[in-house]
Amino acid sequence: GAVVSQHPSWVICKSGTSVKIECRSLDFQATTMFWYRQFPKQSLMLMATSNEGSKATYEQGVEKDKFLINHASLTLSTLTVTSAHPEDSSFYICSARVSSGRGDTQYFGPGTRLTVL
Amino acid sequence: GQQVMQIPQYQHVQEGEDFTTYCNSSTTLSNIQWYKQRPGGHPVFLIQLVKSGEVKKQKRLTFQFGEAKKNSSLHITATQTTDVGTYFCAGPVYNQGGKLIFGQGTELSVKP
């Protein structure tokens, strides 16, 4: 259980275009998902918290108009990188929150490698 | 602000040697979690520790949660090449709906 998929796994786009990344919980419902980006040899940097049916909560320094998040259902959250530029090239990973009696854990999707030319 | 520090940043071992990574939080944690990320892959949940002083084993991996619930360690006995990857600890951000704060990770390389 607790499988999270992400699509696409990699994408190459031209500067100025927009890219949409999908994150799905396959065998469970996730009211909360998280979006991270990760640069090579670095830790995960949380970008935003995506809540089903409400606006996403963005971390300090993350432009909400550039990184649009939509969590329209209990199994799908999308991240759209608008007007992408080369500095947006990174590894984007989503995770879904799973709650239990021991507290919350996160299960991660396989990630999306974005390269902006 | 809340911080989670992890050391060492890199560890290179000969296959068969032991490996330990340490995690320290600036605040008391309700739980600590460990993830493994293989090269080119994504973080995979390994374990969650909740109780003060808790020790859990998964085959050759031993996880500990400190008595004060501010530090943790992951010890691998007799490393194998399949253990290669980056190990992250993570703790929940207080009262922030499931958000996690990650350590910087320890990258383990194993020489056969």
Side-chain angles (χ1 to χ4, degrees):
Chain A
V3 178
V4 178
S5 71
Q6 214 173 315
H7 178 80
S9 55
W10 60 270
V11 57
I12 301 173
C13 69
K14 292 183 178 180
S15 187
T17 60
S18 294
V19 175
K20 179 187 280 189
I21 303 170
E22 293 186 348
C23 178
R24 293 181 185 273
S25 56
L26 296 186
D27 51 358
F28 65 104
Q29 293 181 332
T31 55
T32 303
M33 292 183 174
F34 301 92
W35 287 97
Y36 296 84
R37 68 188 295 184
Q38 186 180 36
F39 293 105
K41 302 289 187 181
Q42 293 190 20
S43 188
L44 299 155
M45 186 194 84
L46 179 65
M47 299 175 66
T49 302
S50 172
N51 297 297
E52 187 269 336
S54 64
K55 289 183 179 180
T57 304
Y58 291 82
E59 295 300 301
Q60 192 172 7
V62 178
E63 299 176 57
K64 62 179 181 180
D65 294 329
K66 180 165 183 65
F67 299 100
L68 300 178
I69 291 172
N70 187 351
H71 194 154
S73 79
L74 287 171
T75 59
L76 173 64
S77 175
T78 61
L79 167 68
T80 301
V81 183
T82 62
S83 186
H85 291 284
E87 58 265 29
D88 298 323
S89 298
S90 189
F91 188 46
Y92 292 86
I93 318 174
C94 70
S95 71
R97 174 186 178 185
V98 175
S99 298
S100 71
R102 289 171 60 85
D104 295 331
T105 57
Q106 293 184 23
Y107 285 84
F108 286 83
T112 297
R113 296 198 179 277
L114 170 63
T115 301
V116 184
L117 302 176
Chain B
Q2 185 178 357
Q3 290 184 335
V4 174
M5 306 296 290
Q6 202 174 339
I7 57 169
Q9 188 174 0
Y10 302 99
Q11 186 78 58
H12 309 285
V13 300
Q14 193 77 32
E15 188 172 22
E17 293 181 339
D18 292 355
F19 158 77
T20 305
T21 173
Y22 300 91
C23 182
N24 289 285
S25 170
S26 59
T27 60
T28 302
L29 300 170
S30 59
N31 67 80
I32 190 92
Q33 301 171 34
W34 286 91
Y35 294 81
K36 176 183 179 181
Q37 185 175 21
R38 293 181 184 274
H42 62 280
V44 174
F45 174 76
L46 293 177
I47 205 163
Q48 180 186 37
L49 303 174
V50 178
K51 299 177 183 177
S52 169
E54 188 170 7
V55 178
K56 283 197 169 183
K57 288 192 174 184
Q58 290 180 351
K59 298 183 180 178
R60 293 178 294 104
L61 277 61
T62 301
F63 303 84
Q64 293 187 333
F65 198 12
E67 294 289 340
K69 301 183 77 172
K70 294 181 72 175
N71 57 70
S72 181
S73 65
L74 158 59
H75 179 82
I76 302 179
T77 303
T79 55
Q80 299 176 359
T81 54
T82 53
D83 296 325
V84 165
T86 300
Y87 293 85
F88 292 98
C89 63
V93 179
Y94 177 72
N95 210 26
Q96 288 284 310
K99 277 171 59 172
L100 292 175
I101 181 168
F102 283 82
Q104 302 95 318
T106 296
E107 183 180 344
L108 172 64
S109 63
V110 180
K111 188 175 181 181

